[in-house]
Amino acid sequence: MKFTWFGHASFSLEMGGKQLVFDPFITPNEQAKSIDVNAIPADYVLLSHGHADHVADAEAILTRTGATLISNYEIVSWYGEKGIENAWPMNHGGKHQFDFGTVRYVNAVHSSVLPDGTYGGNPGGFIIEADGRRIYYAGDTALHMDMELIGRYWKPDLAILPIGDNFTMGIEDAIICCDMIQCDKVIGVHYNTFPFINIDSALAKKAFAKAGKELILPGIGESKEV
């Protein structure tokens, strides 16, 4: 499985023979200026919630590629009014089998409003199962007790977690999350984009290692087999 990071909380996963793009926030992100958003392939675009720093490039990618949008009902409806009809709405606790694998939409504790002020539904995360792997993308979230259910029933092979603190979990809570979901391999996202979420990356890696966990922090534009 190939993971490519586009900065902030935007990344792609190559799974089940398909390209899955998550929360594309690229063109407004000065740190991601080396990324050509028009060159990003996509079969599916998954949006965890409606904030501009997660959806900024979604419409452009969906229109260019014809990819299928996966998100909550409110976000799918909002894009439908923009002419994006190739979409699959979900809500918390639901799962669906796609041609690449299974997507389960799970709880996140955050807020959600779309760029024009429209209500964005409740924020969420995703558990993706494909190629014999199980990936948990938490979205923007605080630490919450539903993570215990993920550890009890799904035990992901890889977790993609926000670690920037202030608006989401920080390093300490992300480590607790790892214990709750029973996953020791983490890719960190949602950090160092803005002053509010700056962290010391070296100290973060040391903290995870001390807890017996691996924290992967790819460079922007970097692809890794994970």
Side-chain angles (χ1 to χ4, degrees):
M1 181 190 71
K2 185 166 74 173
F3 172 96
T4 302
W5 192 42
F6 303 124
H8 196 51
S10 180
F11 60 93
S12 69
L13 291 174
E14 187 177 330
M15 300 182 72
K18 302 294 181 180
Q19 294 285 345
L20 284 59
V21 174
F22 294 76
D23 287 354
F25 171 72
I26 300 162
T27 55
N29 182 4
E30 180 65 20
Q31 295 178 2
K33 61 185 179 181
S34 63
I35 305 296
D36 180 3
V37 71
N38 294 314
I40 295 173
D43 296 297
Y44 292 86
V45 174
L46 293 86
L47 302 179
S48 63
H49 64 292
H51 287 162
D53 62 328
H54 291 256
V55 307
D57 294 298
E59 184 177 357
I61 293 173
L62 288 163
T63 300
R64 174 177 57 83
T65 63
T68 300
L69 170 64
I70 303 174
S71 192
N72 66 34
Y73 183 84
E74 290 80 5
I75 290 175
V76 165
S77 298
W78 188 74
Y79 277 99
E81 294 176 359
K82 294 174 171 290
I84 303 297
E85 297 181 352
N86 187 15
W88 192 272
M90 301 191 74
N91 216 321
H92 297 91
K95 70 178 185 302
H96 182 72
Q97 178 72 42
F98 294 90
D99 60 356
F100 63 87
T102 301
V103 175
R104 182 183 297 271
Y105 192 64
V106 296
N107 190 35
V109 177
H110 195 58
S111 56
S112 180
V113 63
L114 288 151
D116 65 356
T118 299
Y119 170 59
N122 291 318
F126 300 99
I127 298 175
I128 315 292
E129 296 183 63
D131 299 331
R133 305 287 301 284
R134 189 173 287 144
I135 312 301
Y136 171 46
Y137 170 46
D140 280 12
T141 188
L143 188 70
H144 58 83
M145 287 303 296
D146 280 8
M147 292 170 175
E148 291 276 7
L149 295 175
I150 295 173
R152 183 180 300 177
Y153 295 108
W154 297 294
K155 297 180 178 64
D157 301 295
L158 172 71
I160 301 167
L161 305 179
I163 59 172
D165 220 331
N166 195 74
F167 297 119
T168 68
M169 295 188 294
I171 295 161
E172 297 88 351
D173 284 358
I175 291 171
I176 296 170
C177 169
C178 290
D179 289 333
M180 295 171 77
I181 65 175
Q182 298 188 41
C183 179
D184 292 334
K185 187 173 184 178
V186 176
I187 295 177
V189 296
H190 208 279
Y191 69 97
N192 287 356
T193 316
F194 318 113
F196 286 121
I197 57 174
N198 282 346
I199 67 167
D200 185 317
S201 298
L203 288 180
K205 286 186 174 182
K206 287 181 181 178
F208 272 79
K210 185 177 180 180
K213 307 174 195 314
E214 178 186 9
L215 176 63
I216 303 167
L217 300 178
I220 294 176
E222 181 180 359
S223 295
K224 296 182 75 70
E225 293 292 332
V226 292

